Amino acid sequence: MSNAPLQPGVTIAAARLAIMNTLREAGNESPELESRLLLGHALDFTHAELISASDRQLTAPEISRIDSLTARRLQHEPIAHILGRKEFWGLELQVTRDVLVPRPETETIVETALELFDKRRHDALDRKSTRLNSSHT
């Protein structure tokens, strides 16, 4: 990391701040979010656990994992590849280097396709209903 390396005994809160600053200095667009995600992944902590244990001191093996994940992100590896997962359309998908990472624009495409499908289905039901009603008169 561009700041002084994390040392054993640093707290979770201090590590999160250091990671966030390092990512920000590297031009990362979401340093606060990504520092939380990287730290949570390295420690296997939820967001709530990170907050509640913010004064807990980190061990050398934990710092090694954190540094490794941060270095990967600084090399522009997608955060989803680092975490091995990506939320998409309300589903958590497993992500490896072998797959494309779903992007927010993809959700817009899915929404549009579903709207078109629903409209066509609705139109088809209206036509069927009209035919049925006209055959009974």
Side-chain angles (χ1 to χ4, degrees), residues 49-100:
E49 290 169 326
L50 286 175
I51 293 169
S52 66
S54 63
D55 59 348
R56 181 170 84 67
Q57 294 182 345
L58 297 171
T59 65
E62 290 171 332
I63 289 172
S64 178
R65 286 194 304 272
I66 293 164
D67 286 344
S68 174
L69 297 176
T70 303
R72 289 171 63 186
R73 188 63 189 117
L74 290 171
Q75 292 298 313
H76 306 288
E77 184 175 343
I79 192 81
H81 286 173
I82 296 169
L83 302 178
R85 66 183 187 278
K86 172 73 174 168
E87 188 275 331
F88 178 76
W89 200 251
L91 302 170
E92 185 155 305
L93 303 176
Q94 183 178 355
V95 175
T96 68
R97 292 175 190 232
D98 302 322
V99 300
L100 295 173

mmCIF file of all heavy atoms in Angstrom, residues 49-100:
data_model
loop_
_atom_site.group_PDB
_atom_site.id
_atom_site.type_symbol
_atom_site.label_atom_id
_atom_site.label_comp_id
_atom_site.label_asym_id
_atom_site.label_seq_id
_atom_site.Cartn_x
_atom_site.Cartn_y
_atom_site.Cartn_z
ATOM 1 N N GLU A 49 -20.331 -6.557 11.619
ATOM 2 C CA GLU A 49 -19.233 -7.086 12.426
ATOM 3 C C GLU A 49 -18.005 -6.184 12.343
ATOM 4 O O GLU A 49 -17.294 -6.005 13.338
ATOM 5 C CB GLU A 49 -18.880 -8.508 11.986
ATOM 6 C CG GLU A 49 -19.951 -9.521 12.357
ATOM 7 C CD GLU A 49 -19.743 -10.878 11.707
ATOM 8 O OE1 GLU A 49 -19.250 -10.934 10.562
ATOM 9 O OE2 GLU A 49 -20.102 -11.887 12.353
ATOM 10 N N LEU A 50 -17.748 -5.617 11.160
ATOM 11 C CA LEU A 50 -16.628 -4.683 11.035
ATOM 12 C C LEU A 50 -16.818 -3.480 11.954
ATOM 13 O O LEU A 50 -15.874 -3.016 12.597
ATOM 14 C CB LEU A 50 -16.475 -4.202 9.587
ATOM 15 C CG LEU A 50 -15.894 -5.178 8.586
ATOM 16 C CD1 LEU A 50 -15.934 -4.579 7.187
ATOM 17 C CD2 LEU A 50 -14.472 -5.569 8.960
ATOM 18 N N ILE A 51 -18.038 -2.981 12.001
ATOM 19 C CA ILE A 51 -18.323 -1.816 12.839
ATOM 20 C C ILE A 51 -18.220 -2.171 14.319
ATOM 21 O O ILE A 51 -17.570 -1.466 15.096
ATOM 22 C CB ILE A 51 -19.718 -1.245 12.504
ATOM 23 C CG1 ILE A 51 -19.711 -0.658 11.090
ATOM 24 C CG2 ILE A 51 -20.144 -0.194 13.531
ATOM 25 C CD1 ILE A 51 -21.080 -0.315 10.553
ATOM 26 N N SER A 52 -18.838 -3.285 14.702
ATOM 27 C CA SER A 52 -18.855 -3.629 16.125
ATOM 28 C C SER A 52 -17.478 -4.036 16.645
ATOM 29 O O SER A 52 -17.203 -3.910 17.838
ATOM 30 C CB SER A 52 -19.880 -4.725 16.410
ATOM 31 O OG SER A 52 -19.502 -5.927 15.792
ATOM 32 N N ALA A 53 -16.612 -4.515 15.768
ATOM 33 C CA ALA A 53 -15.269 -4.930 16.189
ATOM 34 C C ALA A 53 -14.205 -3.934 15.732
ATOM 35 O O ALA A 53 -13.029 -4.282 15.621
ATOM 36 C CB ALA A 53 -14.968 -6.318 15.624
ATOM 37 N N SER A 54 -14.609 -2.698 15.482
ATOM 38 C CA SER A 54 -13.693 -1.717 14.879
ATOM 39 C C SER A 54 -12.440 -1.467 15.714
ATOM 40 O O SER A 54 -11.408 -1.090 15.160
ATOM 41 C CB SER A 54 -14.419 -0.404 14.607
ATOM 42 O OG SER A 54 -14.854 0.169 15.836
ATOM 43 N N ASP A 55 -12.495 -1.711 17.019
ATOM 44 C CA ASP A 55 -11.308 -1.478 17.849
ATOM 45 C C ASP A 55 -10.483 -2.748 18.067
ATOM 46 O O ASP A 55 -9.470 -2.714 18.756
ATOM 47 C CB ASP A 55 -11.706 -0.863 19.193
ATOM 48 C CG ASP A 55 -12.666 -1.729 19.989
ATOM 49 O OD1 ASP A 55 -13.219 -2.708 19.425
ATOM 50 O OD2 ASP A 55 -12.869 -1.428 21.179
ATOM 51 N N ARG A 56 -10.888 -3.843 17.418
ATOM 52 C CA ARG A 56 -10.129 -5.089 17.534
ATOM 53 C C ARG A 56 -8.819 -4.972 16.777
ATOM 54 O O ARG A 56 -8.778 -4.446 15.668
ATOM 55 C CB ARG A 56 -10.932 -6.275 16.993
ATOM 56 C CG ARG A 56 -10.142 -7.591 17.144
ATOM 57 C CD ARG A 56 -10.955 -8.820 16.866
ATOM 58 N NE ARG A 56 -11.100 -9.244 15.499
ATOM 59 C CZ ARG A 56 -10.136 -9.702 14.707
ATOM 60 N NH1 ARG A 56 -8.886 -9.716 15.093
ATOM 61 N NH2 ARG A 56 -10.416 -10.123 13.500
ATOM 62 N N GLN A 57 -7.759 -5.475 17.362
ATOM 63 C CA GLN A 57 -6.455 -5.429 16.716
ATOM 64 C C GLN A 57 -6.292 -6.607 15.762
ATOM 65 O O GLN A 57 -6.740 -7.717 16.046
ATOM 66 C CB GLN A 57 -5.344 -5.437 17.767
ATOM 67 C CG GLN A 57 -5.347 -4.184 18.605
ATOM 68 C CD GLN A 57 -4.211 -4.164 19.618
ATOM 69 O OE1 GLN A 57 -3.584 -5.168 19.886
ATOM 70 N NE2 GLN A 57 -3.957 -2.985 20.172
ATOM 71 N N LEU A 58 -5.658 -6.332 14.631
ATOM 72 C CA LEU A 58 -5.459 -7.353 13.603
ATOM 73 C C LEU A 58 -4.168 -8.133 13.851
ATOM 74 O O LEU A 58 -3.183 -7.581 14.335
ATOM 75 C CB LEU A 58 -5.406 -6.698 12.223
ATOM 76 C CG LEU A 58 -6.688 -5.991 11.792
ATOM 77 C CD1 LEU A 58 -6.448 -5.197 10.519
ATOM 78 C CD2 LEU A 58 -7.809 -6.996 11.601
ATOM 79 N N THR A 59 -4.206 -9.399 13.485
ATOM 80 C CA THR A 59 -3.033 -10.260 13.610
ATOM 81 C C THR A 59 -2.204 -10.182 12.324
ATOM 82 O O THR A 59 -2.687 -9.702 11.287
ATOM 83 C CB THR A 59 -3.461 -11.715 13.836
ATOM 84 O OG1 THR A 59 -4.150 -12.173 12.656
ATOM 85 C CG2 THR A 59 -4.356 -11.850 15.063
ATOM 86 N N ALA A 60 -0.995 -10.681 12.384
ATOM 87 C CA ALA A 60 -0.120 -10.696 11.199
ATOM 88 C C ALA A 60 -0.737 -11.479 10.040
ATOM 89 O O ALA A 60 -0.714 -10.995 8.898
ATOM 90 C CB ALA A 60 1.254 -11.247 11.569
ATOM 91 N N PRO A 61 -1.320 -12.678 10.266
ATOM 92 C CA PRO A 61 -1.937 -13.388 9.142
ATOM 93 C C PRO A 61 -3.118 -12.619 8.528
ATOM 94 O O PRO A 61 -3.310 -12.634 7.309
ATOM 95 C CB PRO A 61 -2.408 -14.719 9.746
ATOM 96 C CG PRO A 61 -1.555 -14.911 10.966
ATOM 97 C CD PRO A 61 -1.265 -13.524 11.470
ATOM 98 N N GLU A 62 -3.898 -11.942 9.360
ATOM 99 C CA GLU A 62 -5.018 -11.145 8.846
ATOM 100 C C GLU A 62 -4.491 -9.994 7.992
ATOM 101 O O GLU A 62 -5.020 -9.722 6.911
ATOM 102 C CB GLU A 62 -5.867 -10.603 10.007
ATOM 103 C CG GLU A 62 -6.664 -11.680 10.729
ATOM 104 C CD GLU A 62 -7.329 -11.178 11.991
ATOM 105 O OE1 GLU A 62 -6.825 -10.221 12.634
ATOM 106 O OE2 GLU A 62 -8.369 -11.771 12.363
ATOM 107 N N ILE A 63 -3.453 -9.342 8.468
ATOM 108 C CA ILE A 63 -2.869 -8.233 7.718
ATOM 109 C C ILE A 63 -2.306 -8.721 6.389
ATOM 110 O O ILE A 63 -2.443 -8.058 5.354
ATOM 111 C CB ILE A 63 -1.810 -7.498 8.559
ATOM 112 C CG1 ILE A 63 -2.527 -6.729 9.672
ATOM 113 C CG2 ILE A 63 -0.969 -6.560 7.706
ATOM 114 C CD1 ILE A 63 -1.620 -6.111 10.697
ATOM 115 N N SER A 64 -1.722 -9.886 6.387
ATOM 116 C CA SER A 64 -1.194 -10.453 5.145
ATOM 117 C C SER A 64 -2.316 -10.662 4.128
ATOM 118 O O SER A 64 -2.162 -10.330 2.946
ATOM 119 C CB SER A 64 -0.490 -11.773 5.454
ATOM 120 O OG SER A 64 -0.013 -12.354 4.277
ATOM 121 N N ARG A 65 -3.450 -11.204 4.582
ATOM 122 C CA ARG A 65 -4.609 -11.392 3.681
ATOM 123 C C ARG A 65 -5.125 -10.042 3.174
ATOM 124 O O ARG A 65 -5.415 -9.884 1.991
ATOM 125 C CB ARG A 65 -5.723 -12.159 4.390
ATOM 126 C CG ARG A 65 -5.449 -13.634 4.560
ATOM 127 C CD ARG A 65 -6.700 -14.412 4.961
ATOM 128 N NE ARG A 65 -7.346 -13.920 6.174
ATOM 129 C CZ ARG A 65 -7.037 -14.312 7.413
ATOM 130 N NH1 ARG A 65 -6.056 -15.168 7.615
ATOM 131 N NH2 ARG A 65 -7.697 -13.836 8.443
ATOM 132 N N ILE A 66 -5.227 -9.081 4.071
ATOM 133 C CA ILE A 66 -5.725 -7.752 3.705
ATOM 134 C C ILE A 66 -4.795 -7.110 2.676
ATOM 135 O O ILE A 66 -5.246 -6.573 1.661
ATOM 136 C CB ILE A 66 -5.861 -6.857 4.962
ATOM 137 C CG1 ILE A 66 -6.966 -7.387 5.865
ATOM 138 C CG2 ILE A 66 -6.113 -5.408 4.570
ATOM 139 C CD1 ILE A 66 -6.921 -6.829 7.279
ATOM 140 N N ASP A 67 -3.501 -7.174 2.931
ATOM 141 C CA ASP A 67 -2.523 -6.586 2.004
ATOM 142 C C ASP A 67 -2.592 -7.254 0.633
ATOM 143 O O ASP A 67 -2.508 -6.588 -0.398
ATOM 144 C CB ASP A 67 -1.109 -6.705 2.562
ATOM 145 C CG ASP A 67 -0.833 -5.730 3.705
ATOM 146 O OD1 ASP A 67 -1.615 -4.766 3.877
ATOM 147 O OD2 ASP A 67 0.166 -5.939 4.418
ATOM 148 N N SER A 68 -2.760 -8.572 0.612
ATOM 149 C CA SER A 68 -2.844 -9.316 -0.648
ATOM 150 C C SER A 68 -4.065 -8.889 -1.454
ATOM 151 O O SER A 68 -3.970 -8.638 -2.663
ATOM 152 C CB SER A 68 -2.881 -10.815 -0.354
ATOM 153 O OG SER A 68 -3.097 -11.541 -1.535
ATOM 154 N N LEU A 69 -5.217 -8.799 -0.793
ATOM 155 C CA LEU A 69 -6.441 -8.387 -1.488
ATOM 156 C C LEU A 69 -6.332 -6.950 -1.979
ATOM 157 O O LEU A 69 -6.747 -6.636 -3.107
ATOM 158 C CB LEU A 69 -7.651 -8.540 -0.566
ATOM 159 C CG LEU A 69 -7.979 -9.957 -0.102
ATOM 160 C CD1 LEU A 69 -9.143 -9.931 0.896
ATOM 161 C CD2 LEU A 69 -8.299 -10.862 -1.281
ATOM 162 N N THR A 70 -5.791 -6.079 -1.152
ATOM 163 C CA THR A 70 -5.642 -4.674 -1.538
ATOM 164 C C THR A 70 -4.699 -4.540 -2.733
ATOM 165 O O THR A 70 -4.968 -3.771 -3.663
ATOM 166 C CB THR A 70 -5.148 -3.838 -0.342
ATOM 167 O OG1 THR A 70 -6.061 -3.997 0.748
ATOM 168 C CG2 THR A 70 -5.060 -2.364 -0.710
ATOM 169 N N ALA A 71 -3.613 -5.299 -2.725
ATOM 170 C CA ALA A 71 -2.658 -5.253 -3.845
ATOM 171 C C ALA A 71 -3.334 -5.696 -5.145
ATOM 172 O O ALA A 71 -3.094 -5.102 -6.203
ATOM 173 C CB ALA A 71 -1.453 -6.137 -3.545
ATOM 174 N N ARG A 72 -4.191 -6.708 -5.064
ATOM 175 C CA ARG A 72 -4.911 -7.157 -6.264
ATOM 176 C C ARG A 72 -5.807 -6.041 -6.785
ATOM 177 O O ARG A 72 -5.883 -5.793 -7.993
ATOM 178 C CB ARG A 72 -5.729 -8.410 -5.944
ATOM 179 C CG ARG A 72 -4.883 -9.643 -5.729
ATOM 180 C CD ARG A 72 -5.684 -10.804 -5.203
ATOM 181 N NE ARG A 72 -6.721 -11.236 -6.132
ATOM 182 C CZ ARG A 72 -7.628 -12.167 -5.817
ATOM 183 N NH1 ARG A 72 -7.616 -12.754 -4.625
ATOM 184 N NH2 ARG A 72 -8.537 -12.509 -6.711
ATOM 185 N N ARG A 73 -6.489 -5.348 -5.893
ATOM 186 C CA ARG A 73 -7.379 -4.266 -6.327
ATOM 187 C C ARG A 73 -6.572 -3.118 -6.909
ATOM 188 O O ARG A 73 -6.993 -2.494 -7.889
ATOM 189 C CB ARG A 73 -8.236 -3.786 -5.156
ATOM 190 C CG ARG A 73 -9.301 -2.803 -5.581
ATOM 191 C CD ARG A 73 -10.290 -3.437 -6.547
ATOM 192 N NE ARG A 73 -11.180 -2.448 -7.102
ATOM 193 C CZ ARG A 73 -11.241 -2.145 -8.412
ATOM 194 N NH1 ARG A 73 -10.506 -2.780 -9.297
ATOM 195 N NH2 ARG A 73 -12.076 -1.216 -8.833
ATOM 196 N N LEU A 74 -5.409 -2.837 -6.330
ATOM 197 C CA LEU A 74 -4.563 -1.772 -6.853
ATOM 198 C C LEU A 74 -4.025 -2.104 -8.242
ATOM 199 O O LEU A 74 -3.640 -1.206 -8.986
ATOM 200 C CB LEU A 74 -3.406 -1.479 -5.887
ATOM 201 C CG LEU A 74 -3.821 -0.806 -4.577
ATOM 202 C CD1 LEU A 74 -2.647 -0.775 -3.610
ATOM 203 C CD2 LEU A 74 -4.388 0.586 -4.821
ATOM 204 N N GLN A 75 -4.023 -3.384 -8.602
ATOM 205 C CA GLN A 75 -3.637 -3.816 -9.946
ATOM 206 C C GLN A 75 -4.850 -3.827 -10.885
ATOM 207 O O GLN A 75 -4.789 -4.365 -11.978
ATOM 208 C CB GLN A 75 -2.999 -5.209 -9.893
ATOM 209 C CG GLN A 75 -1.660 -5.232 -9.189
ATOM 210 C CD GLN A 75 -0.643 -4.364 -9.899
ATOM 211 O OE1 GLN A 75 -0.494 -4.421 -11.115
ATOM 212 N NE2 GLN A 75 0.059 -3.536 -9.140
ATOM 213 N N HIS A 76 -5.965 -3.249 -10.417
ATOM 214 C CA HIS A 76 -7.205 -3.072 -11.187
ATOM 215 C C HIS A 76 -7.960 -4.383 -11.430
ATOM 216 O O HIS A 76 -8.764 -4.459 -12.357
ATOM 217 C CB HIS A 76 -6.942 -2.338 -12.511
ATOM 218 C CG HIS A 76 -6.228 -1.048 -12.314
ATOM 219 N ND1 HIS A 76 -6.833 0.048 -11.763
ATOM 220 C CD2 HIS A 76 -4.943 -0.698 -12.560
ATOM 221 C CE1 HIS A 76 -5.960 1.035 -11.685
ATOM 222 N NE2 HIS A 76 -4.806 0.615 -12.155
ATOM 223 N N GLU A 77 -7.701 -5.380 -10.612
ATOM 224 C CA GLU A 77 -8.511 -6.597 -10.704
ATOM 225 C C GLU A 77 -9.916 -6.238 -10.227
ATOM 226 O O GLU A 77 -10.072 -5.569 -9.200
ATOM 227 C CB GLU A 77 -7.914 -7.698 -9.820
ATOM 228 C CG GLU A 77 -8.660 -9.008 -9.950
ATOM 229 C CD GLU A 77 -8.006 -10.148 -9.181
ATOM 230 O OE1 GLU A 77 -6.821 -10.035 -8.806
ATOM 231 O OE2 GLU A 77 -8.698 -11.161 -8.969
ATOM 232 N N PRO A 78 -10.940 -6.651 -10.971
ATOM 233 C CA PRO A 78 -12.311 -6.312 -10.552
ATOM 234 C C PRO A 78 -12.611 -6.817 -9.136
ATOM 235 O O PRO A 78 -12.219 -7.927 -8.764
ATOM 236 C CB PRO A 78 -13.186 -7.033 -11.581
ATOM 237 C CG PRO A 78 -12.307 -7.186 -12.781
ATOM 238 C CD PRO A 78 -10.917 -7.393 -12.224
ATOM 239 N N ILE A 79 -13.285 -5.982 -8.381
ATOM 240 C CA ILE A 79 -13.613 -6.330 -6.996
ATOM 241 C C ILE A 79 -14.420 -7.626 -6.936
ATOM 242 O O ILE A 79 -14.233 -8.434 -6.024
ATOM 243 C CB ILE A 79 -14.334 -5.155 -6.275
ATOM 244 C CG1 ILE A 79 -14.414 -5.395 -4.766
ATOM 245 C CG2 ILE A 79 -15.709 -4.910 -6.824
ATOM 246 C CD1 ILE A 79 -13.156 -5.059 -4.035
ATOM 247 N N ALA A 80 -15.279 -7.862 -7.920
ATOM 248 C CA ALA A 80 -16.063 -9.098 -7.934
ATOM 249 C C ALA A 80 -15.178 -10.330 -8.083
ATOM 250 O O ALA A 80 -15.459 -11.378 -7.504
ATOM 251 C CB ALA A 80 -17.097 -9.059 -9.057
ATOM 252 N N HIS A 81 -14.108 -10.227 -8.854
ATOM 253 C CA HIS A 81 -13.177 -11.352 -8.983
ATOM 254 C C HIS A 81 -12.440 -11.595 -7.665
ATOM 255 O O HIS A 81 -12.214 -12.742 -7.273
ATOM 256 C CB HIS A 81 -12.163 -11.098 -10.094
ATOM 257 C CG HIS A 81 -12.747 -11.228 -11.460
ATOM 258 N ND1 HIS A 81 -12.042 -10.910 -12.599
ATOM 259 C CD2 HIS A 81 -13.966 -11.642 -11.891
ATOM 260 C CE1 HIS A 81 -12.811 -11.121 -13.657
ATOM 261 N NE2 HIS A 81 -13.977 -11.551 -13.243
ATOM 262 N N ILE A 82 -12.083 -10.529 -6.991
ATOM 263 C CA ILE A 82 -11.383 -10.657 -5.711
ATOM 264 C C ILE A 82 -12.297 -11.304 -4.674
ATOM 265 O O ILE A 82 -11.884 -12.207 -3.938
ATOM 266 C CB ILE A 82 -10.885 -9.282 -5.227
ATOM 267 C CG1 ILE A 82 -9.840 -8.724 -6.206
ATOM 268 C CG2 ILE A 82 -10.313 -9.371 -3.807
ATOM 269 C CD1 ILE A 82 -9.473 -7.275 -5.962
ATOM 270 N N LEU A 83 -13.541 -10.852 -4.624
ATOM 271 C CA LEU A 83 -14.485 -11.374 -3.629
ATOM 272 C C LEU A 83 -15.051 -12.733 -4.033
ATOM 273 O O LEU A 83 -15.526 -13.484 -3.175
ATOM 274 C CB LEU A 83 -15.636 -10.384 -3.425
ATOM 275 C CG LEU A 83 -15.255 -8.970 -2.987
ATOM 276 C CD1 LEU A 83 -16.505 -8.106 -2.871
ATOM 277 C CD2 LEU A 83 -14.476 -8.989 -1.690
ATOM 278 N N GLY A 84 -15.059 -13.015 -5.341
ATOM 279 C CA GLY A 84 -15.619 -14.275 -5.823
ATOM 280 C C GLY A 84 -17.128 -14.275 -5.916
ATOM 281 O O GLY A 84 -17.755 -15.321 -6.070
ATOM 282 N N ARG A 85 -17.712 -13.080 -5.851
ATOM 283 C CA ARG A 85 -19.176 -12.988 -5.922
ATOM 284 C C ARG A 85 -19.595 -11.605 -6.409
ATOM 285 O O ARG A 85 -18.848 -10.646 -6.301
ATOM 286 C CB ARG A 85 -19.809 -13.279 -4.564
ATOM 287 C CG ARG A 85 -19.488 -12.243 -3.514
ATOM 288 C CD ARG A 85 -20.072 -12.605 -2.144
ATOM 289 N NE ARG A 85 -19.897 -11.532 -1.200
ATOM 290 C CZ ARG A 85 -18.799 -11.287 -0.511
ATOM 291 N NH1 ARG A 85 -17.743 -12.057 -0.656
ATOM 292 N NH2 ARG A 85 -18.735 -10.274 0.329
ATOM 293 N N LYS A 86 -20.838 -11.548 -6.924
ATOM 294 C CA LYS A 86 -21.394 -10.273 -7.390
ATOM 295 C C LYS A 86 -22.909 -10.374 -7.291
ATOM 296 O O LYS A 86 -23.512 -11.346 -7.750
ATOM 297 C CB LYS A 86 -20.969 -10.003 -8.842
ATOM 298 C CG LYS A 86 -21.615 -8.818 -9.500
ATOM 299 C CD LYS A 86 -21.075 -7.526 -8.968
ATOM 300 C CE LYS A 86 -21.645 -6.363 -9.771
ATOM 301 N NZ LYS A 86 -21.407 -5.097 -9.170
ATOM 302 N N GLU A 87 -23.524 -9.380 -6.692
ATOM 303 C CA GLU A 87 -24.982 -9.335 -6.616
ATOM 304 C C GLU A 87 -25.502 -8.853 -7.967
ATOM 305 O O GLU A 87 -24.984 -7.912 -8.544
ATOM 306 C CB GLU A 87 -25.426 -8.395 -5.492
ATOM 307 C CG GLU A 87 -26.908 -8.421 -5.205
ATOM 308 C CD GLU A 87 -27.735 -7.501 -6.098
ATOM 309 O OE1 GLU A 87 -27.213 -6.472 -6.544
ATOM 310 O OE2 GLU A 87 -28.899 -7.827 -6.367
ATOM 311 N N PHE A 88 -26.499 -9.549 -8.490
ATOM 312 C CA PHE A 88 -27.114 -9.162 -9.762
ATOM 313 C C PHE A 88 -28.577 -9.537 -9.722
ATOM 314 O O PHE A 88 -28.929 -10.684 -9.492
ATOM 315 C CB PHE A 88 -26.421 -9.868 -10.934
ATOM 316 C CG PHE A 88 -27.048 -9.548 -12.268
ATOM 317 C CD1 PHE A 88 -26.808 -8.327 -12.883
ATOM 318 C CD2 PHE A 88 -27.895 -10.444 -12.889
ATOM 319 C CE1 PHE A 88 -27.389 -8.011 -14.097
ATOM 320 C CE2 PHE A 88 -28.481 -10.138 -14.103
ATOM 321 C CZ PHE A 88 -28.229 -8.917 -14.708
ATOM 322 N N TRP A 89 -29.420 -8.552 -9.929
ATOM 323 C CA TRP A 89 -30.860 -8.748 -10.016
ATOM 324 C C TRP A 89 -31.383 -9.467 -8.781
ATOM 325 O O TRP A 89 -32.201 -10.374 -8.844
ATOM 326 C CB TRP A 89 -31.204 -9.503 -11.309
ATOM 327 C CG TRP A 89 -32.616 -9.357 -11.730
ATOM 328 C CD1 TRP A 89 -33.576 -10.324 -11.689
ATOM 329 C CD2 TRP A 89 -33.263 -8.202 -12.233
ATOM 330 N NE1 TRP A 89 -34.761 -9.840 -12.126
ATOM 331 C CE2 TRP A 89 -34.604 -8.536 -12.484
ATOM 332 C CE3 TRP A 89 -32.840 -6.910 -12.505
ATOM 333 C CZ2 TRP A 89 -35.516 -7.625 -12.981
ATOM 334 C CZ3 TRP A 89 -33.750 -6.010 -13.009
ATOM 335 C CH2 TRP A 89 -35.067 -6.376 -13.240
ATOM 336 N N GLY A 90 -30.835 -9.087 -7.618
ATOM 337 C CA GLY A 90 -31.268 -9.666 -6.357
ATOM 338 C C GLY A 90 -30.678 -11.037 -6.060
ATOM 339 O O GLY A 90 -31.017 -11.648 -5.050
ATOM 340 N N LEU A 91 -29.801 -11.505 -6.922
ATOM 341 C CA LEU A 91 -29.169 -12.809 -6.724
ATOM 342 C C LEU A 91 -27.686 -12.606 -6.474
ATOM 343 O O LEU A 91 -27.064 -11.748 -7.089
ATOM 344 C CB LEU A 91 -29.339 -13.685 -7.972
ATOM 345 C CG LEU A 91 -30.749 -13.961 -8.446
ATOM 346 C CD1 LEU A 91 -30.708 -14.631 -9.817
ATOM 347 C CD2 LEU A 91 -31.466 -14.844 -7.449
ATOM 348 N N GLU A 92 -27.115 -13.414 -5.601
ATOM 349 C CA GLU A 92 -25.665 -13.374 -5.428
ATOM 350 C C GLU A 92 -25.070 -14.452 -6.321
ATOM 351 O O GLU A 92 -25.343 -15.634 -6.151
ATOM 352 C CB GLU A 92 -25.261 -13.602 -3.979
ATOM 353 C CG GLU A 92 -23.775 -13.439 -3.814
ATOM 354 C CD GLU A 92 -23.367 -13.052 -2.423
ATOM 355 O OE1 GLU A 92 -23.876 -12.045 -1.909
ATOM 356 O OE2 GLU A 92 -22.541 -13.768 -1.868
ATOM 357 N N LEU A 93 -24.278 -14.017 -7.302
ATOM 358 C CA LEU A 93 -23.679 -14.927 -8.271
ATOM 359 C C LEU A 93 -22.226 -15.198 -7.913
ATOM 360 O O LEU A 93 -21.513 -14.299 -7.475
ATOM 361 C CB LEU A 93 -23.741 -14.321 -9.673
ATOM 362 C CG LEU A 93 -25.128 -13.938 -10.196
ATOM 363 C CD1 LEU A 93 -24.998 -13.257 -11.550
ATOM 364 C CD2 LEU A 93 -26.021 -15.153 -10.274
ATOM 365 N N GLN A 94 -21.814 -16.433 -8.122
ATOM 366 C CA GLN A 94 -20.402 -16.766 -7.956
ATOM 367 C C GLN A 94 -19.663 -16.247 -9.189
ATOM 368 O O GLN A 94 -20.111 -16.430 -10.317
ATOM 369 C CB GLN A 94 -20.234 -18.270 -7.829
ATOM 370 C CG GLN A 94 -18.809 -18.686 -7.584
ATOM 371 C CD GLN A 94 -18.665 -20.189 -7.402
ATOM 372 O OE1 GLN A 94 -19.634 -20.920 -7.374
ATOM 373 N NE2 GLN A 94 -17.438 -20.633 -7.292
ATOM 374 N N VAL A 95 -18.536 -15.603 -8.963
ATOM 375 C CA VAL A 95 -17.776 -14.991 -10.051
ATOM 376 C C VAL A 95 -16.343 -15.515 -9.998
ATOM 377 O O VAL A 95 -15.718 -15.539 -8.943
ATOM 378 C CB VAL A 95 -17.769 -13.449 -9.920
ATOM 379 C CG1 VAL A 95 -16.894 -12.815 -10.976
ATOM 380 C CG2 VAL A 95 -19.181 -12.897 -10.011
ATOM 381 N N THR A 96 -15.856 -15.946 -11.155
ATOM 382 C CA THR A 96 -14.451 -16.335 -11.293
ATOM 383 C C THR A 96 -13.863 -15.513 -12.433
ATOM 384 O O THR A 96 -14.575 -14.768 -13.117
ATOM 385 C CB THR A 96 -14.307 -17.838 -11.625
ATOM 386 O OG1 THR A 96 -14.826 -18.068 -12.940
ATOM 387 C CG2 THR A 96 -15.031 -18.709 -10.608
ATOM 388 N N ARG A 97 -12.597 -15.715 -12.690
ATOM 389 C CA ARG A 97 -11.948 -15.017 -13.804
ATOM 390 C C ARG A 97 -12.483 -15.499 -15.153
ATOM 391 O O ARG A 97 -12.239 -14.885 -16.170
ATOM 392 C CB ARG A 97 -10.439 -15.235 -13.746
ATOM 393 C CG ARG A 97 -9.807 -14.565 -12.570
ATOM 394 C CD ARG A 97 -8.331 -14.905 -12.483
ATOM 395 N NE ARG A 97 -7.808 -14.433 -11.218
ATOM 396 C CZ ARG A 97 -6.738 -13.683 -11.121
ATOM 397 N NH1 ARG A 97 -6.058 -13.341 -12.184
ATOM 398 N NH2 ARG A 97 -6.317 -13.286 -9.946
ATOM 399 N N ASP A 98 -13.221 -16.615 -15.142
ATOM 400 C CA ASP A 98 -13.744 -17.200 -16.378
ATOM 401 C C ASP A 98 -15.067 -16.588 -16.837
ATOM 402 O O ASP A 98 -15.586 -16.982 -17.879
ATOM 403 C CB ASP A 98 -13.948 -18.713 -16.195
ATOM 404 C CG ASP A 98 -12.664 -19.426 -15.815
ATOM 405 O OD1 ASP A 98 -11.605 -19.041 -16.346
ATOM 406 O OD2 ASP A 98 -12.729 -20.349 -15.000
ATOM 407 N N VAL A 99 -15.633 -15.681 -16.044
ATOM 408 C CA VAL A 99 -16.936 -15.116 -16.387
ATOM 409 C C VAL A 99 -16.848 -13.598 -16.484
ATOM 410 O O VAL A 99 -15.955 -12.981 -15.899
ATOM 411 C CB VAL A 99 -18.029 -15.498 -15.359
ATOM 412 C CG1 VAL A 99 -18.201 -16.999 -15.276
ATOM 413 C CG2 VAL A 99 -17.730 -14.925 -13.990
ATOM 414 N N LEU A 100 -17.777 -13.038 -17.229
ATOM 415 C CA LEU A 100 -17.889 -11.583 -17.278
ATOM 416 C C LEU A 100 -18.633 -11.117 -16.029
ATOM 417 O O LEU A 100 -19.594 -11.757 -15.596
ATOM 418 C CB LEU A 100 -18.649 -11.148 -18.526
ATOM 419 C CG LEU A 100 -17.967 -11.458 -19.859
ATOM 420 C CD1 LEU A 100 -18.904 -11.127 -21.010
ATOM 421 C CD2 LEU A 100 -16.660 -10.698 -19.984
#
